[in-house]
């Protein structure tokens, strides 16, 4: 075990990341290794806010004990955010989860070139405050997760900076067209073309006209900023892979608080829920081969060359054997939700693009999540078939208006990687949070970190002869686990931080 | 007005269908007209169950009075189904809505060729009873709607017949593979390949194995039958267009009751709701350029040749003017839900694939629904750009288990074309139904037809100086309106019809 850690530590120093297998079939997971000679974009480590000594960093990698790391008493994150993490049970040498929690300020871009501001901290502390929480669940290496945890919030901040003058004027809808200087551009008086004759089918609502301008809300503009920032993050990983070793890919879940609204953006299979009055409000959907089956099949159907003559876009309930040619098999294609029988032809003997059920479902027998950042070099094992075209880096963004609800001290946003949720349900998390916090001194600044630790333990369990076990003797999660518990009280617009 | 009807009636006799404009921009709607010399597949008419005399058929086309047609007292539909319809206010010469209500029997296919059985009625009355209600909202002609109303239930029945032996044995899950004679085919003992090594990341659930067989329920097999029957119906329309004049396309909404379950299949913008205890249970989603924006944009993005160099897959909130080149405009692409700014380039001056809002939203400035049957020849006005690739004929199927709920005599399924729902909300329909039925003699077999008539009147309104008006003076629907009101009580499995 010591040698394993030593090995890990020498890797840390040397900047070489071992390749993990999370979300990957053991037979595959072929990141190209030609980048081993490049330096890492960022060195391996745990989140800065944990402030680990080298000894503690080494200790954090012990798969045998899986220590739970939490915030130290005295070290404060914004909003008294609680945090806990633990490494996996051995599936990868390092903890491939990463996390970030930052308060930054949105302001107009200065004359400087954007790239040079990417790592800028908060400067003079003026601008519109933005709180950011991110968790990044890496696979096939930790490079992409680390890079995203260092940069994503800066990309979001900078893109918001470009529309800063609109954010400062939230009462008026964003202009549809902007001149180069950012001011609204008024086109000629005539509105988009000749008027069409009155339609007898028309509903008597003047807002529903054929030639119209859609009214776009400031909220959907912020959503668009977050969506495009994820894309930019993904592009940046690809671009910098020519200069740095940036291994693997990662799911990305981010919560952004801006001007009284909480934007929760999810690309992958991490999950966030709000617990209000012990009720669960889901803030994310998971993106997996099962939940995105039809999107992936549709792409395989429209662009069969992406399947490399090895895969079929049609789904079957199991592998077909050669002896079954000419028989009838249940199937469904990209258009179907139900199942029907089809006569098996030679082409159906190819491996299905989507195969497996639940946690074992895979795209091209390789990856178990369908959205995230990175993975640009990910190929099907022993082939030249790239998987990236099937993966999306775009998050689904849900908005929660903090001003519309009253929040007590036990109302929180819980963000966790799949290691948390695989063994603990939303309802169990809500009950655990409510039970734990109600017994906690409301003035203890550590209460949310202690609650996060409690949640983590419920999913990790304790090590027994037969592996990590929960109190009910079911298997605990062997995965990396990361949890934020973020209190929601006191953050309505009127109570400026 | 008389001449208009005369003209319509001579068309009826001659079998030429005028081209309507429903869901179409006035500038477009270019069905090819080369089929004018072919005979119609079915002559124009109203549903058989209305049993109209030629005089009443003529009367039904009066746009000035828009008579409400209902079932005659004494003529019974299965389940005491209530029905009402009215023609549009003049946008097309004929009523382009169609409806069907049938009880058929599912049985093993006989030796006869399927095509010869397509119009077979119930034969000897043995087999599994199936109740079918369909409404078909035609556009650009009534041919597709009429054909679908005559045949869709037969296609569903025949496809179900192919799995009749599985339906007769509902306690066992459908076999994954069938031999040619329809019996389950057992492959070799080895299950799909070598066992993979134990995954340390695995959850301790034996059902979640990589090499597995998915268990497919009988219910999802019936869903698959319905989905593929819609596809078959669409293919049949295309095929028979070489021999017959089959004008236009149609939205299709079908409710199928089989073995205690109600399957509601929707392709288009008709709507079905269940009203139970005055509560609304939505049974459909509408498929429109707005609700399917991302699917359509994705296709345009992946297959730009389908846009014919005339359209851009990117959405803008309004048309861009040439003078705005180089400025920044709000946009969203197929990946986005929010909006962002982009610099306008030459390509952005093309017309947006999706354009307009609400009832005025159109695909390629032409059609306002994105799912349905027919439309194989539909092109963008004055161009060679086909719209069919962007339309889907596959319904979304929702299942309602009749056995899981108790139904009173006022609990109903309401199915209506968009003419009904454009001016009356779900809640208003539920309140109207509940109010109307509670005042009606529960033993009156006409009560559901009277309720349907009441609903229809609420959306049509009455003709005043300023057009068709509702009691609150808002505009009534000028569209064709068709309504089924179907009582749900007494149809649980145990009470066999």
């Amino acid at each position: 075990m010591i040698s394993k850690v030593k090995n890990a530590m020498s890797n840390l120093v040397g900047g070489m990341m071992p390749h993990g297998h999370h979300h990957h079939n053991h037979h595959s997971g072929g990141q190209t290794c030609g980048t081993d000679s490049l330096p890492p974009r960022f060195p391996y480590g745990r989140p800065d806010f944990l402030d680990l000594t080298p000894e503690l960093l080494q200790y954090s990698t012990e798969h045998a004990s899986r220590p739970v790391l939490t915030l130290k008493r005295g070290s404060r994150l914004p909003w008294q955010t609680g945090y806990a993490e633990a490494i996996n049970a051995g599936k990868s040498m390092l903890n491939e989860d990463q996390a970030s929690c930052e308060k930054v300020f949105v302001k107009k871009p200065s004359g400087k070139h954007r790239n040079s501001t990417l790592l800028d901290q908060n400067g003079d502390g003026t601008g519109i405050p933005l709180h950011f929480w991110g968790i990044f669940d890496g696979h096939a290496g930790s490079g992409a997760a680390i890079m995203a945890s260092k940069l994503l919030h800066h990309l979001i901040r900078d893109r918001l900076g470009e529309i800063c003058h609109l954010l400062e004027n939230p009462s008026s809808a964003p202009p549809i067209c902007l001149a180069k200087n950012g001011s609204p551009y008024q086109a000629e008086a005539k509105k988009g073309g000749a008027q069409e004759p009155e339609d007898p089918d028309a509903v008597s609502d003047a807002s529903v006209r054929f030639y119209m301008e859609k009214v776009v809300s400031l909220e959907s503009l912020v959503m668009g900023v977050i969506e495009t920032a994820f894309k930019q993050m993904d592009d940046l990983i690809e671009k910098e892979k020519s200069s740095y070793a940036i291994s693997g890919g990662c799911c990305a879940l981010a919560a952004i608080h801006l001007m009284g609204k909480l934007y929760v953006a999810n690309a992958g299979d991490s999950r966030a829920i709000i617990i209000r009055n012990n009720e669960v409000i889901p803030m994310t959907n998971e993106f997996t081969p099962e939940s995105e089956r039809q999107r992936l099949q549709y792409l395989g159907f429209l662009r069969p060359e992406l399947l490399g003559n090895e895969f079929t876009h049609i789904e079957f309930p199991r592998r077909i054997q050669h002896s079954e040619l000419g028989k009838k098999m249940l199937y469904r294609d990209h258009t179907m939700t139900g199942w029907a029988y089809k006569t098996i032809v030679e082409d159906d003997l190819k491996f299905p693009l989507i195969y497996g059920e639940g946690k074992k479902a895979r795209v091209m027998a390789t990856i178990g999540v369908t959205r995230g950042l990175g993975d640009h070099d990910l190929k099907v094992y022993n082939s030249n078939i790239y998987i990236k075209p099937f993966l999306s880096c775009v998050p689904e963004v849900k908005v929660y208006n903090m001003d519309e609800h009253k929040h007590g001290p036990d109302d929180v946003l819980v963000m966790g990687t799949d290691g948390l949720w695989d063994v603990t349900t939303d309802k169990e998390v809500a009950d655990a949070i409510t039970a734990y916090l109600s017994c906690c001194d409301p003035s203890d600044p550590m209460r949310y970190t202690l609650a996060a630790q409690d949640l983590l333990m419920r999913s990790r369990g304790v090590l027994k002869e037969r592996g990590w076990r929960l109190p009910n003797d079911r298997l605990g999660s062997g995965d990396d686990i990361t949890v934020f518990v973020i209190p929601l009280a006191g953050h309505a617009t009127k109570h400026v931080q």
Side-chain angles (χ1 to χ4, degrees), chain A residues 313-339:
Chain A
H313 77 279
I314 298 174
E315 185 189 13
F316 299 99
R318 66 163 164 78
R319 287 306 305 279
I320 303 174
Q321 299 176 35
H322 207 276
S323 66
E324 292 171 322
L325 269 176
K327 308 280 183 298
K328 284 183 171 174
M329 182 70 111
L330 286 173
Y331 82 102
R332 50 183 178 175
D333 66 18
H334 65 283
T335 67
M336 298 167 71
T337 304
W339 296 79

Side-chain angles (χ1 to χ4, degrees), chain A residues 106-108 127-128 163-170 218 259:
Chain A
V106 176
K107 54 182 119 179
K108 285 199 183 71
I128 303 170
I163 56 162
C164 194
H165 57 300
L166 304 176
L167 296 174
E168 285 165 350
N169 193 7
L218 197 57
M259 297 166 64

Side-chain angles (χ1 to χ4, degrees), chain A residues 344-359:
Chain A
I344 302 166
V345 297
E346 193 76 30
D347 222 47
D348 299 328
L349 298 177
K350 293 175 182 169
F351 201 89
L353 170 62
I354 307 294
Y355 188 65
E357 244 177 327
K359 291 301 286 180

Side-chain angles (χ1 to χ4, degrees), chain A residues 220-394:
Chain A
S220 63
L221 197 56
V222 175
M223 286 174 67
V225 159
I226 295 168
E227 291 171 330
T228 47
F230 271 65
K231 276 190 261 190
Q232 203 185 348
M233 185 71 237
D234 194 54
D235 291 343
L236 196 62
I237 292 172
E238 181 174 31
K239 189 178 142 217
E240 300 210 343
K241 276 183 87 81
S242 60
S243 319
Y244 299 100
I246 304 168
S247 60
C250 66
C251 298
L253 167 60
I256 293 117
H257 182 262
L258 182 76
M259 297 166 64
K261 285 182 180 168
L262 194 60
Y263 299 82
V264 180
N266 187 43
D269 65 355
S270 296
R271 187 184 298 172
I273 62 174
I274 282 174
I275 301 165
R276 195 177 66 214
N277 244 325
N278 194 31
E279 260 185 69
V280 173
I281 302 161
M283 293 301 293
T284 53
N285 290 303
E286 280 102 68
F287 297 96
T288 67
E290 288 190 312
S291 70
E292 295 214 279
R293 173 181 62 84
Q294 287 178 293
R295 174 177 76 77
L296 273 59
Q297 286 183 303
Y298 191 39
L299 179 58
F301 168 75
L302 287 174
R303 287 267 180 88
E305 70 275 13
L306 298 176
L307 301 173
N309 219 25
E310 296 282 339
F311 294 90
T312 166
H313 77 279
I314 298 174
E315 185 189 13
F316 299 99
R318 66 163 164 78
R319 287 306 305 279
I320 303 174
Q321 299 176 35
H322 207 276
S323 66
E324 292 171 322
L325 269 176
K327 308 280 183 298
K328 284 183 171 174
M329 182 70 111
L330 286 173
Y331 82 102
R332 50 183 178 175
D333 66 18
H334 65 283
T335 67
M336 298 167 71
T337 304
W339 296 79
Y341 288 102
K342 81 184 285 291
T343 302
I344 302 166
V345 297
E346 193 76 30
D347 222 47
D348 299 328
L349 298 177
K350 293 175 182 169
F351 201 89
L353 170 62
I354 307 294
Y355 188 65
E357 244 177 327
K359 291 301 286 180
K360 293 290 183 181
R362 292 286 180 281
V363 180
M364 291 175 158
T366 304
I367 186 163
V369 285
T370 51
R371 298 208 188 183
L373 306 167
D375 289 317
H376 299 89
D377 297 332
L378 186 65
K379 291 182 189 179
V380 175
Y381 179 72
N382 227 350
S383 85
N384 254 321
I385 304 172
Y386 282 93
I387 291 165
K388 185 69 174 173
F390 292 91
L391 307 179
S392 167
C393 63
V394 181

Side-chain angles (χ1 to χ4, degrees), chain A residues 50 52 68-72 75 83-85 446 449-450 452-453:
Chain A
L50 287 177
L52 296 190
V68 178
L69 305 189
T70 62
L71 286 178
K72 286 181 219 166
S75 77
Y83 179 81
E85 63 162 65
M446 285 295 282
T449 279
L450 294 173
Q453 180 177 264

